[in-house]
Amino acid sequence: MRAANEALIVIDIQNDFCPGGALAVTGGDEIVPGVNALMDDFASVILTQDWHPSGHSSFASTHGAAPYSTTEMPYGTQVLWPDHCIQSTDGAAFHQDLVTKGDLIIRKGFNPLIDSYSAFFENDHVTPTGLEGYLRTRGIDTLTMVGLATDFCVNFSAVDAAKLGFNVTVRTDLCRAIDMDGSLSAALDGMKAAGVEVL
Ligand code: VGL
Ligand code: ZN
């Protein structure tokens, strides 16, 4: 068992990111048994859930644009995704085999006008989700991250956590990537540059 200052953060293991889902990540479901097993090592387990209202500004359909194209938002360039993880739909539910007995489920991406890849800040990089306060008030300073997708939500969460001063390890064997236009190798480089331990 890890010490009380450590937490496992399980990112977005939801039906829409698994094979058959709206934004399926290749092999997304393969990590579930390993993630479940790793939970037994941690006194604190936190799950995140991508949680968009219908008509969200990150959806290509909202803009009449092609999925995987990009647009300029007030906070920067935004990839436009297929509709996914719409609040209270089956696509937004956790994978049926994922153990969900963690301490906290943090939802993100619910603001209609701002996407939120990171578990710590929305994509404007300033609006907090509250996760930092939750961890600090519980005396947690060391994080292990697993989940989907390596190059988007895991990457943004890990880099933000490192910038906030947490010790961060990403278990890439328990992550899977979207990998569009070299996004996976850029994410791995960016995480290492930010001081994340990439295993
Ligand atoms: C994610 C794209 C859009 C993720 C979420 O969980 O990595 N990617 N929304
Ligand atoms: Zn999303």
Side-chain angles (χ1 to χ4, degrees), residues 12 17 23 50-52 56 58-59 81-82 84-85 108-109 115-117 153:
D12 296 3
F17 297 125
L23 180 34
D50 210 40
W51 196 250
H52 300 303
H56 191 257
S58 75
F59 295 168
W81 302 105
H84 65 279
C85 295
K108 60 188 181 60
D115 203 4
S116 187
Y117 296 147
C153 290

Side-chain angles (χ1 to χ4, degrees), residues 10-23:
V10 178
I11 312 248
D12 296 3
I13 305 187
Q14 295 166 259
N15 290 328
D16 271 342
F17 297 125
C18 291
L23 180 34

Side-chain angles (χ1 to χ4, degrees), residues 26 41 83 113 129 135 170 173 183:
T26 305
D41 291 352
D83 291 19
L113 299 179
T129 63
L135 295 171
V170 169
D173 59 321
S183 56

Side-chain angles (χ1 to χ4, degrees), residues 8 54 100 108 154 181 184:
L8 177 64
S54 57
T100 57
K108 60 188 181 60
V154 175
D181 301 327
L184 177 57

Side-chain angles (χ1 to χ4, degrees), residues 12-163:
D12 296 3
I13 305 187
Q14 295 166 259
N15 290 328
D16 271 342
F17 297 125
C18 291
L23 180 34
V25 179
T26 305
D29 55 341
E30 295 167 3
I31 64 174
V32 171
V35 170
N36 287 342
L38 189 59
M39 289 181 190
D40 293 337
D41 291 352
F42 287 83
S44 177
V45 175
I46 292 147
L47 308 171
T48 74
Q49 200 170 21
D50 210 40
W51 196 250
H52 300 303
S54 57
H56 191 257
S57 58
S58 75
F59 295 168
S61 63
T62 302
H63 304 266
Y68 307 102
S69 61
T70 59
T71 191
E72 294 307 314
M73 299 284 207
Y75 55 80
T77 304
Q78 170 72 48
V79 179
L80 294 174
W81 302 105
D83 291 19
H84 65 279
C85 295
I86 295 174
Q87 294 170 358
S88 304
T89 63
D90 188 57
F94 291 114
H95 185 284
Q96 63 174 7
D97 297 330
L98 185 72
V99 173
T100 57
K101 63 185 181 190
D103 321 336
L104 175 75
I105 296 172
I106 188 133
R107 289 172 166 165
K108 60 188 181 60
F110 47 75
N111 181 336
L113 299 179
I114 314 182
D115 203 4
S116 187
Y117 296 147
S118 166
F120 291 89
F121 295 100
E122 298 190 0
N123 283 9
D124 60 4
H125 301 292
V126 294
T127 307
T129 63
L131 180 58
E132 179 191 2
Y134 178 85
L135 295 171
R136 291 208 198 281
T137 53
R138 292 195 61 200
I140 293 166
D141 62 8
T142 299
L143 307 175
T144 298
M145 295 192 185
V146 298
L148 307 172
T150 321
D151 39 348
F152 287 90
C153 290
V154 175
N155 171 34
F156 278 67
S157 298
V159 169
D160 278 349
K163 283 185 185 160

